[in-house]
Amino acid sequence: MTLILAGDIGGTKTILRLVEEKDSQLLQVLHETRYPSRDFPDLVPLVERFVSEAGQKLQRKLTIEKACFAIAGPVVNDTSNLTNLAWVLDARRLEEELAIAKVTLINDFAAVGYGILGLDSDDVCTLQSVTPQSEAPIALLGAGTGLGQGFLIQNQDRYQVFPSEGGHADFAPRTELEFQLLQYLREKYDIQRISAERVVSGQGIVAIYQFLRDRQFAHESPEIAQVVRTWEGEMGRSEKTVDPAAEISKAALQKSDSLSEQTLKMFVEAYGAEAGNLAIKLLPYGGLYIAGGIAAKILPLMQDGTFVRTFTEKGRVSPLLEKVPVHIVMNSQVGLIGAAICASQL
């Protein structure tokens, strides 16, 4: 048996998982714990505490042979300066100080790419049911804090995950309303270029709401107005006391606020269109997976046909996208699953 350590490292929390492997198959999760990241000066003492606690629980001495840590931030040559945490991580240093033979660092969205390879049928919700083609590319995108994108290509007997910065490509308006949104965002941020991430993300939900509010497309409810204005007043702070995107989404799902409903309709349309743009470039007949923190939370709105309609509305090439399986990832621990799979391949 081989012991694998998988980690999901964020500025707020770090989740560590101990997994047992045999013959390249991940067998079971032995121990898992969540820690406040800022309680530790570095990853090393956090891992040491986790291993000690796991050893006490399992009543045996643990020798971890492989580890993969998914990082919420850029990773270059197995090193990372975390964006929202004063940690500087280097895989070679971690190998030495933790006495782990093989350690690698990957971006958290790359970990999601590995993770979809370990999902069960219950872990996904299918929006477009099509038989996947073997050996075809797999596409991945996910709106959350930003807009992650990536893809998987089969290399011999396994898939290789490739990151992408596609979320920073230009936002491509399709309707008169979206052209107005584009101009509004240019003026609001005093910039000429608007990326897809400015619209298809948590910040995008708030931006669409502000646009529809300021253009008076619908009446603003006092409850949502208070949340949004509190958030606007906290701009520039590292931590906010409210989450307007979540409140707007909740109101849209409950159909309790027409402005929020219009906001989410516009958001889902833009999300589907951007997913279609990615699919045109990759032709991911192995499947397109929608991850991130938003899609699963607004599932009824993703399932009402709007997303698939704008996904496939691509003129002459629309029939090509009708052949792409489209799934929403429902398992929130897909990144941890991916980190363990990546570690097993070291």
Side-chain angles (χ1 to χ4, degrees):
M1 297 290 184
T2 299
L3 292 182
I4 286 177
L5 178 60
D8 187 351
I9 317 277
T12 302
K13 67 181 183 299
T14 290
I15 307 174
L16 297 180
R17 172 181 286 184
L18 184 66
V19 180
E20 199 168 42
E21 177 194 27
K22 181 180 181 181
D23 299 329
S24 299
Q25 297 295 316
L26 301 179
L27 299 181
Q28 66 178 113
V29 176
L30 301 179
H31 187 60
E32 179 177 321
T33 309
R34 178 186 304 235
Y35 301 94
S37 300
R38 289 186 173 86
D39 286 358
F40 298 84
D42 184 67
L43 181 59
V44 170
L46 192 157
V47 170
E48 290 174 338
R49 175 172 164 180
F50 172 81
V51 173
S52 174
E53 293 171 348
Q56 292 175 16
K57 174 189 174 183
L58 300 171
Q59 297 184 334
R60 61 170 165 154
K61 179 176 173 56
L62 302 177
T63 301
I64 298 172
E65 298 184 29
K66 305 175 184 178
C68 175
F69 300 105
I71 310 295
V75 177
V76 180
N77 296 326
D78 256 349
T79 65
S80 178
N81 293 357
L82 271 74
T83 305
N84 297 312
L85 195 63
W87 292 1
V88 179
L89 302 181
D90 183 297
R92 304 293 80 77
R93 175 177 70 86
L94 295 173
E95 288 174 348
E96 181 179 352
E97 296 186 17
L98 294 171
I100 299 176
K102 298 177 181 179
V103 174
T104 191
L105 308 178
I106 61 175
N107 174 264
D108 57 352
F109 204 71
V112 173
Y114 284 104
I116 63 174
L117 301 174
L119 295 179
D120 297 324
S121 58
D122 292 341
D123 293 325
V124 299
C125 173
T126 298
L127 297 185
Q128 183 161 273
S129 182
V130 184
T131 302
Q133 296 182 14
S134 61
E135 301 184 3
I138 296 173
L140 176 69
L141 82 161
T145 304
L147 178 61
Q149 296 190 8
F151 58 99
L152 293 79
I153 301 292
Q154 191 163 8
N155 183 6
Q156 296 181 351
D157 62 341
R158 65 177 58 173
Y159 276 93
Q160 186 173 356
V161 178
F162 295 90
S164 165
E165 292 297 337
H168 295 286
D170 296 342
F171 169 59
R174 304 165 302 110
T175 66
E176 177 59 33
L177 192 60
E178 288 185 351
F179 275 104
Q180 292 181 36
L181 172 63
L182 175 66
Q183 186 58 35
Y184 172 86
L185 294 175
R186 283 175 171 170
E187 295 172 357
K188 180 178 181 62
Y189 297 113
D190 192 24
I191 54 178
Q192 285 301 307
R193 180 183 172 277
I194 300 299
S195 69
E197 184 175 86
R198 292 274 188 183
V199 177
V200 185
S201 63
Q203 65 173 333
I205 290 176
V206 182
I208 294 169
Y209 179 93
Q210 292 170 317
F211 159 68
L212 294 173
R213 176 198 67 190
D214 294 348
R215 295 294 191 269
Q216 299 181 342
F217 280 94
H219 177 69
E220 185 178 29
S221 72
E223 296 80 12
I224 303 298
Q226 180 61 47
V227 173
V228 174
R229 280 167 176 73
T230 298
W231 179 85
E232 290 171 337
E234 294 176 343
M235 291 300 293
R237 298 184 188 179
S238 58
E239 295 187 13
K240 308 289 193 302
T241 61
V242 294
D243 183 352
E247 294 302 320
I248 293 166
S249 300
K250 180 180 177 181
L253 286 167
Q254 295 175 343
K255 299 184 183 301
S256 61
D257 176 54
S258 60
L259 185 55
S260 296
E261 289 182 65
Q262 289 190 39
T263 297
L264 265 293
K265 180 178 183 297
M266 199 169 179
F267 170 79
V268 172
E269 288 176 343
Y271 203 168
E274 178 60 20
N277 291 340
L278 179 62
I280 285 175
K281 295 165 186 172
L282 296 174
L283 297 181
Y285 296 133
L288 181 139
Y289 288 80
I290 306 155
I294 296 177
K297 295 177 182 177
I298 60 167
L299 186 61
L301 303 178
M302 297 290 288
Q303 291 178 303
D304 70 4
T306 301
F307 183 94
V308 171
R309 173 178 59 79
T310 56
F311 173 77
T312 55
E313 278 183 348
K314 299 299 180 185
R316 291 170 294 174
V317 297
S318 294
L320 298 179
L321 298 196
E322 293 170 0
K323 300 175 184 177
V324 176
V326 180
H327 312 283
I328 295 177
V329 176
M330 302 299 294
N331 190 328
S332 62
Q333 293 189 314
V334 61
L336 268 178
I337 295 171
I341 290 173
C342 181
S344 72
Q345 297 179 2
L346 292 175

